[in-house]
Amino acid sequence: MSESPNGAATPASIVEALKAVAGRPTNVRASFAKGWCVRGTYTPSDKAGNVTRSRSFTRPSRVLARFSVGGGNPDVADTNRQVLRGFSFRLGNEAHRSDILTQSAPVHFARTLEQMLAFLEARIPPLNEARIAAFSSANPETLNQADYVAARQLPGSFAGTTYWGVHAFPATSTNGETRFIKFKVAPVGDDFTLTEQEADTMPADFLHHDLKGRIATGDARLNVMALLDRPGDPVMDVTVRWPDEDSREEVRLGTIVITAFEPNEACDASIFDPANLADGIGHPPDEIFAARRTGYAISLAKRR
């Protein structure tokens, strides 16, 4: 693996590199800077307790959530085919709160902090295509996310897109059994995508307009799913998928219905903290997750 030429990677250096890649915009998130705050409701399924005893997932609750477009540029066009879509949501109450962060690709672009920093530093403007190619050749797993995105059509709707939590979460059921799960959030109905010709006709903020229409008609509904592990699944490497992940057993934990927009300040005043997980969902063991809580807090402090 190619390490960063600028020394050891830390959450602070990752945030700084994310900002540099985006051209250092001020007062915005380091990643998924463009987004819309929404609220809604969560209704658990009768099978949620088979996966987790977490009251965040086994009891009905209000939902605060944010749909977003990837990258650190708050003015990125929704028609950009190279960036992800994000969906972060908060379930439960203050005593049993869980924040879950998902994205429109099932893998992350780096396995370790050092690899993540080197990936970003290779892309700080002015771009050097030879430098990027050399890094990618030495670190082929860092292309898995981009290859996944490139092989699929442009998402045509925030509420019509499938999202993944790329980490493996230890979940303990009401019976006391613990196993790893991956979160998957899928639209009630099929994914909605655009052809290249359709995308070329869309305005820069078409995802917001689509979401507004879906909320008005009650068609912004997403199922929260748990993908269940099998022996030998890789739980430490977020750049690879579990074998046969698309066809393996999954359980519907519940359904989120988005009912209204919230002022963006409701989501911007704090962070969706990936470390906030109510009893019954544990912290994933991989290195990237371990650094996220600190990194998100640093990003919040920089935009205040």
Side-chain angles (χ1 to χ4, degrees), residues 211-219 258-259:
L211 183 59
K212 183 178 180 180
R214 286 176 179 261
I215 289 173
T217 59
D219 193 30
I258 303 301
T259 57

Side-chain angles (χ1 to χ4, degrees), residues 226-245:
L227 302 179
L228 305 182
D229 72 339
R230 295 174 183 163
D233 281 338
V235 298
M236 299 292 288
D237 187 349
V238 290
T239 66
V240 297
R241 305 188 73 185
W242 287 347
D244 303 316
E245 193 172 292

Side-chain angles (χ1 to χ4, degrees), residues 86-170:
F87 180 55
S88 301
F89 58 97
R90 177 172 299 157
L91 304 180
N93 55 34
E94 287 303 315
H96 305 283
R97 192 179 88 179
S98 292
D99 292 355
I100 305 297
L101 288 69
T102 64
Q103 62 181 38
S104 59
V107 293
H108 189 52
F109 62 82
R111 181 173 54 84
T112 66
L113 278 191
E114 284 77 12
Q115 191 178 57
M116 186 174 179
L117 182 59
F119 176 98
L120 294 169
E121 288 179 341
R123 288 159 173 80
I124 294 174
L127 292 183
N128 183 322
E129 296 299 335
R131 179 177 60 182
I132 294 174
F135 175 83
S136 299
S137 177
N139 300 266
E141 65 272 23
T142 62
L143 296 177
N144 291 347
Q145 184 187 96
D147 288 345
Y148 180 91
V149 172
R152 283 153 181 82
Q153 291 183 319
L154 184 76
S157 169
F158 276 136
T161 296
T162 297
Y163 303 89
W164 286 265
V166 299
H167 306 279
F169 294 78

Side-chain angles (χ1 to χ4, degrees), residues 5 35 112 179-180 214 265 287-288:
T112 66
R179 66 188 302 177
F180 283 104
R214 286 176 179 261
E265 291 77 13
E287 180 177 330
I288 297 297

Side-chain angles (χ1 to χ4, degrees), residues 71-96:
N73 176 10
D75 298 317
V76 63
D78 295 348
T79 51
N80 189 313
R81 294 173 172 82
Q82 297 179 321
V83 295
L84 300 176
R85 277 55 180 161
F87 180 55
S88 301
F89 58 97
R90 177 172 299 157
L91 304 180
N93 55 34
E94 287 303 315
H96 305 283

